[in-house]
């Protein structure tokens, strides 16, 4: 045992050797108590192992909590385990929504399901007191809450009678969070009226506290009957939502007891064929998919799974380093106990008994590490939720239930068991290969074997640390580069905000009149130096796309039409954003709705439209309308998810107002700061439309953060994992080198007694550390470059690994490993050679 006289350990354990042949539960329990006493006598080993395993298991459990919430966890409702999701598939789309008539047909005729409900989401402006609030409401069928067995905390929930006639039931159910936020959990909320998109709704109930909605990741604060969709969308109580051509509903079903997903899939596939024959114009060629309602919708899971697999692989390496750490500590302990093990073997103890005790000690350490990991997993739930919250208000409350459930607890138990077996078996094999007679005669060969084992452990730890640091370095450099890259136009000092005008919120004013009045009011605001409107935001993850028919001379044989991102902007918006016009002219007040249609294109699109010539004056078809090219602007990152050389087209806002579902406002204050611009925008909107909320108000630079949100999360987790890996690697290297120095006290003392200088002894030990650290760094660099290549192929937008990153990571890991050896080397130089000679 490390730090303990082996003869004392032998005296305490030899009496049990005579009973070692007995088996059964009693023997295992006795050896378990013996293992606990042995670990209690080695607090250094226990603390080091628990910290290493706790960090490794806790980090893996935290990431698995994210994976569990996004992919595996059912809705927190009594019927969650029996819920399934239903999707129409076909015509190039795997996950399509259902029309209301299709939903009714399925609800009334499918026999493998207890029931089917439908829901849809849509943005809303909600006014409770004075200030309108942007929300995303959930329109649900009358049987929605009954199907999910959700109970009300107050009042009642939406019933089938509330969802019979379009626009007839102006009622609403609110979430517990909304109730707490607006009414402080008071009883007066029931019966109160709130205004959503200008429509008064009576609050009839509050959902239970643990229900956030049908979509993990999004928490809904407002539920209305599905038959209110048309009214809340500004279309009025029209039967359009009841048409078979209108597909707007996501569907949830509940399996009958004893029915499998496969049986439901078989019946629904047959039923889809019947619908296709009866309604060939709308349902022909479609089938129905059935999947368990766990985690995010399948169409969203496909975007998230690669990210989760990558992060899981990164943190798994941390656990591997932790296991290597503990294995090194256990092997060092076995080296001290070789004499004891040899005596036990000579007294009749079998290989199985010795291996069993070693395994019991290892599993006990792993169990303690698992307990620490569980505490860390629970503590990390809140931090992970904050990390996954987008940096810009999107009008939707992001919510993930990361609190560990039974799956996470089982994962921690399995991780602890596998970890304990991994380093326990390696230690047990080393212990059972001790030769009784040989150990009694000499320990020279054993010391050489221990030297080789320790060297391999140090190299492995260093290599894995380099691999993780390289991977984390790529993420960090990607984030840094994205935040500091020049998009090709002005970002600093520009504020962005959005409004979604609905006729009900505008007080009878038309959208055109509202936008013209808003622009005039903002331009007259003293705090603002420039203002512009656009149909879509720059640097966004998506963009409006138009079908462009180029001139005949520009067409390739197979390209009759091009799909080009477009953005409609008001005069002065390009100047506000610092986008210069290279050739031709910018938009002016003369580009009114009745004027000839014009467009400005970026350099890439200009080259494609007029290869080798001037594109000014060319006429193209944009969504079947003739448009003249009047200007050319530089290439830039107009679409955040695309490269700077992506074709792009600007259109006059007055001629393309219908393209703007959401009105994007760009503003620049005289002082260049965002707070005064946001205040001015809110005051101007409230003066014209008191019920219209302003969303996404933030500096334009925050759009970069939003665009890089997923990579930012991966960079943060990878950075934390790499830091923990580096610390564990350094701690493991220090422990192993310190134990090596302890083993070599006799040799070092004799060398110094014979005249060896302290600096020479220190150099000898540091030289060995340099060789091991160098070998691990070289191996880790090669492995890390291979891993980074795989990661870059899975996630778009990551930078390549430059020589600076490789050199910095290699020097950092190499330096940490050498520094971790410095203190043991210093300790070796303080040995008193006279004490060693007297002992000899």
């Amino acid at each position: 045992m490390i730090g303990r006289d082996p003869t004392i350990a032998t005296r305490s354990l030899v009496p049990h050797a005579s009973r070692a042949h007995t088996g059964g539960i009693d023997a295992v329990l006795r050896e378990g108590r013996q293992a606990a006493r042995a670990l209690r006598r080695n607090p250094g080993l226990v603390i080091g192992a628990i910290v290493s395993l706790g960090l490794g298991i806790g980090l893996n459990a935290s990431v698995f909590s994210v994976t569990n919430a996004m992919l595996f966890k059912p809705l927190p409702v009594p019927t969650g385990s029996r819920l399934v999701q239903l999707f129409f598939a076909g015509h190039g789309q795997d996950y399509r929504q259902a029309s209301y008539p299709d939903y009714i047909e399925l609800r009334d005729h499918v026999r493998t399901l207890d029931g089917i409900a439908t829901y849809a989401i849509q943005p809303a402006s909600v006014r409770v007191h004075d200030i309108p609030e942007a929300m995303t409401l959930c329109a649900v069928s009358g049987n929605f809450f009954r199907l999910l067995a959700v109970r009300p905390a107050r009042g009642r929930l939406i019933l089938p009678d509330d969802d019979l006639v379009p626009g007839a039931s102006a009622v609403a159910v609110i979430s517990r969070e909304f109730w707490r936020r607006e009414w402080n959990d008071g009883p007066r909320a029931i019966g109160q009226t709130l205004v959503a998109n200008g429509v008064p709704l009576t609050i009839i109930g509050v959902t239970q506290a643990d229900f956030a909605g049908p979509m993990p990741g999004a928490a809904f604060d407002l539920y209305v009957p599905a038959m209110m969709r048309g009214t809340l969308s500004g279309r009025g109580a029209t039967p359009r939502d009841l048409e078979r051509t209108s597909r707007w509903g996501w569907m949830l079903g509940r399996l009958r007891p004893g029915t499998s997903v496969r049986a439901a899939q078989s019946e629904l596939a047959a039923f889809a064929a019947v619908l296709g024959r009866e309604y060939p114009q709308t349902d022909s060629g479609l089938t129905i998919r059935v999947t368990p309602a766990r985690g995010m919708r399948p169409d969203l899971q496909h975007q998230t799974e690669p990210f989760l697999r990558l992060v899981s692989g990164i943190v798994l390496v941390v656990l591997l380093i932790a296991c290597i750490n503990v294995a090194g500590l256990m092997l060092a302990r076995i080296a001290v106990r070789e004499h004891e093990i040899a005596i036990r073997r000579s007294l009749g103890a079998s290989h199985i008994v010795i291996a069993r005790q070693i395994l019991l000690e290892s599993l006990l350490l792993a169990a303690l590490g698992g307990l620490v990991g569980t505490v860390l997993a629970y503590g990390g739930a809140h931090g992970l939720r904050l990390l996954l919250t987008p940096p810009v208000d999107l009008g939707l409350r992001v919510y993930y239930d990361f609190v560990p459930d039974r799956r996470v607890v089982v994962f921690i138990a399995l991780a602890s068991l596998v970890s304990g077996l991994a380093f326990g078996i390696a230690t047990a094999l080393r212990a059972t290969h001790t030769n009784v007679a040989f150990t009694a005669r000499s320990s020279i060969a054993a010391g050489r074997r221990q030297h080789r084992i320790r060297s391999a452990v140090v190299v492995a730890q260093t290599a894995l640390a380099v691999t993780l640091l390289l991977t984390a370095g790529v993420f960090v450099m990607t984030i840094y580069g994205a935040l500091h890259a020049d998009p090709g136009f002005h970002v600093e000092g520009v504020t962005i905000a959005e409004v979604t005008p609905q006729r009900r919120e505008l007080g009878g004013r038309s959208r055109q009149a509202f936008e013209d009045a808003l622009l005039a009011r903002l331009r007259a605001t003293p705090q603002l130096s420039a203002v512009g409107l656009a149909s879509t935001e720059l640097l966004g993850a998506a963009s409006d796309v138009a079908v462009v028919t180029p001139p005949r001379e520009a067409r390739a044989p197979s390209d009759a039409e091009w799909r080009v991102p477009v953005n409609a902007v008001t005069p002065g918006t390009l100047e506000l954003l610092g986008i210069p016009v290279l050739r031709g002219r910018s938009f002016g007040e003369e580009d009114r709705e009745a004027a000839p249609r014009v467009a400005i294109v970026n350099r890439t699109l200009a080259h494609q439209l007029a290869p080798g010539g001037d594109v000014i004056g060319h006429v193209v078809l944009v969504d079947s309308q003739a448009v003249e090219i009047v200007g050319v602007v530089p290439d830039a990152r107009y679409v955040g998810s695309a490269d700077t050389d992506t074709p792009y087209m600007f259109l006059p806002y007055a001629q393309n107002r219908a393209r703007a579902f959401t009105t994007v406002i760009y503003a620049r204050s005289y002082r260049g700061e965002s707070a005064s611009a946001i205040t001015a925008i809110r005051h101007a909107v409230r003066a014209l439309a008191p019920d219209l909320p302003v969303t996404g108000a933030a500096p334009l630079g925050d759009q970069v953060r939003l665009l890089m949100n997923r990579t930012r999360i991966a960079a943060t987790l990878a950075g934390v994992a790499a830091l923990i890996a580096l610390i564990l690697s350094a701690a493991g290297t220090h422990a192993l080198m310190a134990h090596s120095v302890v083993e070599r006290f006799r040799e070092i003392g004799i060398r110094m007694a014979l005249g060896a200088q302290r600096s020479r002894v220190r150099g000898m030990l540091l030289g060995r550390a340099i060789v091991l650290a160098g070998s691990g760094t070289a191996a880790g660099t090669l492995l890390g470059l291979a891993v980074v290549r795989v990661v870059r192929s899975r996630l778009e937008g990551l930078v390549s690994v430059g020589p600076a990153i490789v050199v910095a990571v290699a020097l950092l890991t190499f330096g940490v490993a050498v520094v971790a050896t410095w203190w043991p080397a210093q300790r070796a130089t303080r040995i008193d050679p006279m004490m060693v000679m007297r002992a000899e």
Side-chain angles (χ1 to χ4, degrees):
M1 301 177 191
I2 297 177
R4 187 164 181 252
D5 188 347
T7 60
I8 300 176
T10 304
R11 287 197 300 269
S12 65
L13 296 176
V14 165
H16 295 286
S18 60
R19 299 181 294 175
H21 64 279
T22 60
I25 299 298
D26 291 339
V28 174
L29 292 176
R30 182 177 62 252
E31 289 170 3
R33 290 191 295 270
Q34 184 176 319
R37 287 194 298 269
L39 292 177
R40 191 167 59 246
R41 290 190 292 267
N42 289 270
L45 169 69
V46 173
I47 294 174
I50 289 177
V51 170
S52 295
L53 291 174
L55 288 173
I57 294 174
L59 190 59
N60 277 267
S62 297
V63 172
F64 182 75
S65 296
V66 176
T67 304
N68 181 47
M70 291 185 173
L71 302 182
F72 305 128
K73 183 179 286 189
L75 291 177
V77 295
T79 62
S81 60
R82 292 164 53 198
L83 292 178
V84 293
Q85 302 171 95
L86 284 66
F87 305 95
F88 280 85
H91 306 306
Q93 298 183 40
D94 292 331
Y95 303 100
R96 303 182 63 176
Q97 294 158 288
S99 66
Y100 196 78
D102 284 341
Y103 152 68
I104 295 296
E105 297 255 17
L106 294 173
R107 184 195 66 185
D108 294 343
H109 295 95
V110 173
R111 294 291 172 257
T112 53
L113 300 178
D114 253 347
I116 299 175
T118 186
Y119 69 93
I121 59 176
Q122 66 183 81
S125 167
V126 178
R127 174 185 285 275
V128 177
H129 301 300
D130 295 329
I131 300 176
E133 181 179 353
M135 286 187 185
T136 301
L137 62 80
C138 190
V140 301
S141 58
N143 64 341
F144 176 83
F145 290 109
R146 183 176 297 174
L147 182 82
L148 272 58
V150 176
R151 296 182 178 274
R154 286 273 182 172
R156 69 172 181 88
L157 304 179
I158 294 172
L159 300 175
D161 290 344
D162 300 318
D163 192 41
L164 296 177
V165 181
S169 298
V171 297
V173 171
I174 62 175
S175 69
R176 180 67 180 270
E177 171 63 23
F178 191 27
W179 182 35
R180 182 199 59 78
R181 191 169 67 241
E182 297 293 340
W183 285 278
N184 197 25
D185 290 346
R188 292 180 300 171
I190 306 302
Q192 294 289 324
T193 298
L194 58 79
V195 180
N197 290 349
V199 179
L201 300 174
T202 302
I203 299 174
I204 59 173
V206 180
T207 62
Q208 60 193 47
D210 58 351
F211 182 71
M215 293 174 54
F220 298 97
D221 290 327
L222 183 62
Y223 300 85
V224 299
M227 287 296 97
M228 290 296 296
R229 285 188 70 251
T231 303
L232 291 170
S233 299
R235 300 192 303 269
T238 63
R240 178 180 174 185
D241 285 345
L242 303 181
E243 296 175 359
R244 198 172 290 275
T245 55
S246 179
R247 295 186 173 273
W248 53 265
W250 302 105
M251 293 188 295
L252 284 172
R254 186 175 65 198
L255 293 171
R256 290 186 182 276
T259 303
S260 66
V261 174
R262 180 175 298 181
Q265 175 67 76
S266 177
E267 181 188 12
L268 286 164
F271 198 86
V274 174
L275 291 176
R277 290 193 297 269
E278 292 185 1
Y279 310 102
Q281 293 185 342
T282 57
D283 291 7
S284 177
L286 297 180
T287 187
I288 298 178
R289 293 175 179 267
V290 182
T291 62
R294 295 172 184 165
M296 304 168 68
R297 287 202 319 259
D299 55 322
L300 302 176
Q301 288 187 11
H302 289 313
Q303 306 170 18
T304 307
E305 279 189 83
F307 158 74
L308 292 176
R309 285 198 298 266
L310 171 64
V311 176
S312 299
I314 290 174
V315 298
L316 189 61
V317 176
V318 177
L319 181 57
L320 180 59
I321 293 177
C323 289
I324 292 175
N325 254 7
V326 180
L329 293 173
M330 294 290 288
L331 288 171
R333 183 167 175 261
I334 291 299
V336 176
R337 297 177 63 187
E338 278 192 336
H339 186 65
E340 166 208 331
I341 294 171
I343 295 177
R344 293 187 64 188
R345 288 288 316 284
S346 66
L347 295 176
S350 66
H351 288 298
I352 294 178
V353 171
I354 294 175
R356 189 165 62 195
Q357 184 175 353
I358 299 297
L359 277 176
L360 285 173
E361 293 179 14
S362 301
L363 291 174
L364 186 56
L365 284 175
L368 295 173
L371 290 176
V372 174
T374 303
V375 174
L376 293 178
Y378 274 92
H382 180 67
L384 288 170
R385 190 178 296 117
L386 293 177
L387 184 62
L388 288 173
T389 300
V392 178
D393 179 20
L394 303 176
L396 178 65
R397 186 161 55 91
V398 177
Y399 175 78
Y400 286 100
D401 183 12
F402 291 146
V403 177
D405 60 2
R406 287 180 298 178
R407 286 185 180 83
V408 179
V409 173
V410 170
F411 173 84
I412 293 174
L414 289 176
S416 303
L417 177 62
V418 172
S419 301
L421 290 176
F423 62 79
I425 290 174
T427 309
L429 288 175
R430 174 68 189 88
T432 55
H433 279 75
T434 301
N435 186 289
V436 177
F438 184 76
T439 304
R441 290 194 306 268
S442 174
S443 62
I444 297 176
R448 291 173 180 172
R449 287 196 300 272
Q450 288 298 319
H451 171 78
R452 289 195 296 269
I453 293 173
R454 280 193 295 268
S455 299
V457 170
V458 171
V459 171
Q461 286 174 326
T462 307
L464 291 174
V466 171
T467 301
L468 272 188
L469 284 171
L470 275 177
T471 307
V474 170
F475 281 112
V476 172
M477 292 301 296
T478 299
I479 292 294
Y480 180 85
L483 291 176
H484 295 82
D486 181 12
F489 52 88
H490 293 167
V491 173
E492 297 300 325
V494 178
T495 299
I496 183 174
E498 297 180 5
V499 291
T500 307
Q502 304 286 343
R503 182 174 296 273
R504 286 180 177 273
E505 300 161 338
L506 302 181
R509 184 189 288 114
S510 68
R511 177 167 181 163
Q512 178 177 348
F514 165 75
E515 290 175 338
D516 291 344
L518 176 63
L519 193 58
R521 183 178 288 269
L522 288 174
R523 284 176 174 171
T525 301
Q527 298 96 319
L528 302 180
S529 61
V531 181
L533 303 182
S535 63
T536 187
E537 60 186 35
L538 297 178
L539 289 175
S543 180
D544 184 17
V545 176
V547 177
V548 176
T549 305
R552 186 177 301 276
E553 61 272 14
R555 298 183 196 173
S558 60
D559 290 338
E561 296 178 341
W562 298 344
R563 298 183 65 83
V564 178
V566 298
N567 197 349
V569 297
T570 57
T573 303
L574 297 181
E575 290 75 9
L576 182 156
L577 295 170
I579 301 175
V581 178
L582 303 177
R583 294 193 301 277
R585 68 174 178 87
S586 184
F587 297 136
E589 298 298 335
E590 67 273 15
D591 298 313
R592 296 182 295 273
E593 183 177 5
R597 293 184 172 270
V598 295
I600 295 174
V601 298
N602 69 338
R603 185 179 291 161
T604 295
L605 184 56
H607 177 72
Q608 293 178 356
L609 292 172
D614 190 358
V615 76
I616 303 298
H618 281 220
V619 176
V620 298
L621 295 180
V622 178
D623 290 338
S624 302
Q625 292 185 322
V627 174
E628 179 185 356
I629 308 300
V630 297
V632 178
V633 295
D635 291 337
R637 197 176 184 183
Y638 300 119
V639 181
S641 58
D643 297 326
T644 57
D645 57 354
T646 299
Y648 202 82
M649 177 181 288
F650 289 101
L651 302 171
Y653 195 87
Q655 298 178 355
N656 298 270
R657 199 180 300 270
R659 306 194 77 97
F661 174 76
T662 296
T663 303
V664 181
I665 305 169
Y666 289 106
R668 181 186 295 277
S669 67
Y670 281 103
R671 292 181 295 176
E673 47 87 26
S674 182
S676 61
I678 292 175
T679 301
I681 292 172
R682 292 189 187 278
H683 285 168
V685 172
R686 191 179 305 170
L688 297 172
D691 291 329
L692 184 61
V694 177
T695 61
L700 182 57
D702 283 357
Q703 294 297 324
V704 178
R705 295 173 56 210
L706 180 62
L707 176 67
M708 300 300 295
N709 200 36
R710 183 177 300 179
T711 309
R712 176 181 64 87
I713 294 167
T716 303
L717 292 176
V720 171
L723 179 62
I724 293 175
L726 186 63
I727 294 173
L728 291 178
S729 177
T733 300
H734 173 80
L736 291 174
M737 297 305 292
H739 180 69
S740 176
V741 169
V742 170
E743 280 193 330
R744 298 180 67 181
F745 268 7
R746 176 175 174 271
E747 171 197 344
I748 293 171
I750 293 175
R751 285 176 179 268
M752 296 179 66
L754 295 176
Q757 299 294 320
R758 297 181 185 273
S759 58
R760 186 176 182 86
V761 172
R762 186 188 305 114
M764 175 186 67
L765 297 175
L766 288 177
R768 179 191 170 200
I770 289 173
V771 171
L772 295 180
S775 302
T777 302
T781 301
L782 296 176
L783 179 61
L785 291 175
V787 170
V788 167
R789 177 174 298 182
V790 174
V791 170
R792 292 185 67 237
S793 68
R794 300 294 180 88
L795 287 181
E796 297 181 358
L798 295 181
V799 300
S800 58
V801 184
I805 297 178
V806 176
V807 172
V809 168
L811 289 178
L812 175 63
T813 314
F814 178 81
V816 168
V818 173
V819 169
T821 313
W822 177 263
W823 176 248
Q826 281 289 97
R827 183 185 177 191
T829 61
R830 298 172 184 169
I831 296 175
D832 186 353
M834 296 307 299
M835 292 182 62
V836 175
M837 296 304 295
R838 283 198 297 269
E840 287 295 312

